[in-house]
Amino acid sequence: MSGMNDTSAPETIASFCPRFHHAVELIGGRWTGAIVRALLSGITRFSEITQAVPGLSDRMLSERLKDLEAEGVVERRVLPETPVRIEYRLTEKGQALAGAVDAISDWANDWVEPFPAGASSNQR
Amino acid sequence: MSGMNDTSAPETIASFCPRFHHAVELIGGRWTGAIVRALLSGITRFSEITQAVPGLSDRMLSERLKDLEAEGVVERRVLPETPVRIEYRLTEKGQALAGAVDAISDWANDWVEPFPAGASSNQR
């Protein structure tokens, strides 16, 4: 799993995995977790996502959706209606994040203090 | 779960949770997942963590450990030896992240392409 070549410290080699590192920083990227969670809930439209995630700007959502498309997590569909309708859906790879989202939700429910109503949870 | 007061859109309220948002951005913060994973593997010393996580600088590790201490995820212990020895250990709250780390690892194993040996996985 590791690209390191130091065979003198096997226990430290075992502790780093580039694929885990990539995955955790992908899902934890600014707003990414909240966007994936909104899509898992069945939301498909840009404006619905910004409504669902307080503090998320159009510009930031647009950037994140492009990142998630590039990662193969989100698929953008243009439906030939009048006016044209655009949907964002999780791919199979994106749907597979449900287990990780659930595990993080469980931890949050057990260990993160509830935020006061209306307070921002943005700590970065 | 939500601090929103808009009762006109229950399905969008259900899709955002400030505690989840805080948790996912905490665990996905720059280097944080890799550091927590290293500590879960039993590593306790500063220099062991930097050895275990390629590309992680002393300065960045120091910042992240302070953040994780402030979150109650990591505990810093000063052992009165000569020379003084400092250990970093996951608290109960930190140990409880094992489930989320496992779920993200599972997803990474299933869906993230292996990185070539020696390549950097830093995409941000």
Side-chain angles (χ1 to χ4, degrees), chain B residues 79-93:
Chain B
L79 305 182
E81 297 174 6
T82 307
V84 155
R85 184 166 142 187
I86 297 170
E87 285 188 350
Y88 297 89
R89 289 185 184 273
L90 293 169
T91 60
E92 191 186 349
K93 179 178 179 178

Side-chain angles (χ1 to χ4, degrees), chain A residues 18 22 24 31 35 41 43-44 46 50 55 59 66 83 113 122:
Chain A
H22 181 77
V24 70
W31 296 112
I35 294 166
S41 80
I43 285 175
T44 59
F46 192 96
T50 52
R59 186 181 63 79
K66 277 179 195 154
E113 294 286 321
N122 309 330

Side-chain angles (χ1 to χ4, degrees), chain A residues 90-102:
Chain A
L90 292 169
T91 61
E92 190 185 351
K93 179 178 179 179
Q95 292 282 352
L97 280 168
V101 166
D102 285 347

Side-chain angles (χ1 to χ4, degrees), chain A residues 56-115:
Chain A
L56 174 60
S57 69
D58 286 1
R59 186 181 63 79
M60 190 57 74
L61 175 56
S62 180
E63 276 185 28
R64 281 298 91 87
L65 286 171
K66 277 179 195 154
D67 294 343
L68 290 169
E69 268 188 84
E71 290 279 347
V73 166
V74 165
E75 183 186 15
R76 181 179 184 272
R77 290 186 199 170
V78 181
L79 305 181
E81 299 173 5
T82 308
V84 155
R85 184 166 140 185
I86 296 170
E87 284 188 350
Y88 297 89
R89 290 185 184 274
L90 292 169
T91 61
E92 190 185 351
K93 179 178 179 179
Q95 292 282 352
L97 280 168
V101 166
D102 285 347
I104 295 165
S105 290
D106 287 347
W107 183 82
N109 287 333
D110 289 344
W111 293 99
V112 178
E113 294 286 321
F115 291 89

Side-chain angles (χ1 to χ4, degrees), chain A residues 15 19 25 30-31 109, chain B residues 19 25 30-31 37 109:
Chain A
S15 66
R19 290 157 83 184
E25 301 215 343
R30 194 82 184 96
W31 296 112
N109 287 333
Chain B
R19 291 157 83 184
E25 301 214 342
R30 194 81 184 96
W31 296 112
R37 197 162 176 279
N109 286 334

Side-chain angles (χ1 to χ4, degrees), chain B residues 40-74:
Chain B
L40 279 169
S41 80
I43 285 175
T44 58
R45 301 179 79 162
F46 191 96
S47 61
E48 290 173 333
I49 304 172
T50 52
Q51 279 168 33
V53 182
L56 174 59
S57 68
D58 285 1
R59 188 181 62 79
M60 189 57 74
L61 175 56
S62 181
E63 277 185 26
R64 281 297 91 88
L65 286 171
K66 277 179 194 153
D67 294 344
L68 290 170
E69 267 188 87
E71 290 280 347
V73 166
V74 165

